Amino acid sequence: MAEHTLSREAYGRPRSTVRTVHLGLGNFFRAHSAWYTEHSSADWGIAAFSGRSDTHVAELSAQDCLYTLVEQGKELHTEVISSLSAVHTGHDLDAWRGYFASPDVTVVTLTITEAGYVRDSSGALDVANDAVRDDIAALKESPLTGTVTTAPGKLVAGLLARRDAGAGPITLGPCDNLVKSGEITRRVVEELAAQVDESLQGWIDANVGIVTTMVDRITPRPTEADMATVAEITGVSDRAPVVTEPFTEWVIEGDFVAARPAWEEAGATFVDDIVPFEHRKLWLLNGSHSLMAYAGPIMGRETVYEAITDPTLRSWVEEWWDAAVKYLPLPADQLSAYRKALVERFENPSIRHLLSQIAADGSQKIPIRFVPTLKAELENGVVNPGATRPIAAWVLHLRGYGPVPVTDFRGDEVKGLVVEDEAKTVQNVLKWLGIDNDQVAETVLRQLHEILEA
Ligand code: CS2
């Protein structure tokens, strides 16, 4: 048993001044943007706030906000990350507003998941959502002290505090698996702001930059066994380690309106047009993840590794990739190298990435991971089985096949698409996805049975 706990004196750097606020203190953030800051700007501290779960706040506080990052490649590599200077629960709105009111803080990053932007099916802020309504009412009544719970509500509360303090320009950087995440963030923030205080828009125009980013690093939920491994290797008892793969990518588009960390020193790239990078990653990596996450458990597979090494699932992944690459405006050799690298990443036996983790929130993932390719093929007169099979797998998941329960931000809505009749369920799901085509429905129906019989 390891006797030592992590402390700044023994294992880390001194705390840096907080200059970034982060919402969503999960494993992915600690493997990704906190790692980029660690490796580029040592003088740049992050104050991180928990999102949906407070799991890591107490553990990290007890160990000086330090944690061990374990990179599991062919070899195992560990390092202690010092870039978090403070951690808070998401309920600590005094701390949240306090950072926004500080001119030291010029960057806010987000990992709040697709669902965290609280949009309706048209992409607008979901003003019918009770939590959104409560946030609007609370900020209308008390702009500087009202209690808010949603991410858009918190961002608007922070911006109100910043305007009040005259703390100057600030840039927001969403880091979730979306297309044009900057535009999405701008829309939900501005729509919420408009309901609270119309005069905020002018201040936002003059002071708030919003960038768009594509993020990638496969980071499963750590287990007790991972903690034991860290203790064994480092001799330190870390209650909040993160296990990740060696690969990492961060592509950023847009202007920062105030100071930012020199993330490019750690390998982040800045581009003029991020869309091809977002599509490449969302369709090829995340798309194949979702396909495996819905079909795999029905076929007795529990992890990405088990799924990609199953020849049938692997052939379905390739079939999906063959469809998707047709609509990626990138050189063919780059795309085949990307596919090859993905297979290697998925076949990493040390990364135990549960398919059940990926299966969550399909309502937010299926429309952006598969539907664009499916529709583009239809426009070319093709019903591509590679692009319909993931939908068939999702329909089976929604119908309750396999051991993974439906966990979805829009659970009631998508479970409501399921009726006793299989063909009718397929029709409902396709309609919900904006697809009205009999041949697609027939193909999906046939593929339901193929998956069940595989
Ligand atoms: C996964 C992603 O859970 C999911 O939907 O596809 O979390 C994926 O592991 C990351 O985007 C990898 O960068």
Side-chain angles (χ1 to χ4, degrees), residues 28 114 177 215-219 245 281 285-286 289-290 345 353 357-360 365 369:
F28 176 74
E114 298 88 338
N177 292 320
V215 294
D216 189 7
R217 197 166 204 187
I218 293 173
T219 309
E245 59 174 345
K281 194 252 169 172
L285 189 155
N286 299 113
H289 258 179
S290 292
R345 292 170 65 192
H353 197 182
Q357 188 182 336
I358 300 166
K365 297 175 178 176
R369 296 183 182 189

Side-chain angles (χ1 to χ4, degrees), residues 32 107-110 117 171-187 208-215 249-257 260 263 268-279 282:
H32 194 264
V107 173
V108 178
T109 49
L110 310 168
Y117 297 81
T171 307
L172 313 183
C175 302
D176 288 290
N177 292 320
L178 296 162
V179 181
K180 300 195 176 163
S181 55
E183 279 178 22
I184 291 172
T185 307
R186 183 171 291 285
R187 183 161 182 193
V208 182
I210 307 188
V211 296
T212 297
T213 86
M214 186 283 276
V215 294
E249 192 174 19
W250 199 3
V251 183
I252 303 170
E253 177 201 289
D255 295 327
F256 285 75
V257 294
R260 64 160 173 86
W263 286 317
T269 50
F270 288 78
V271 298
D272 291 334
D273 179 12
I274 200 166
V275 173
F277 297 94
E278 289 178 319
H279 284 171
L282 268 175

Side-chain angles (χ1 to χ4, degrees), residues 116 157 221 266 396:
R221 227 169 261 142
L396 287 174

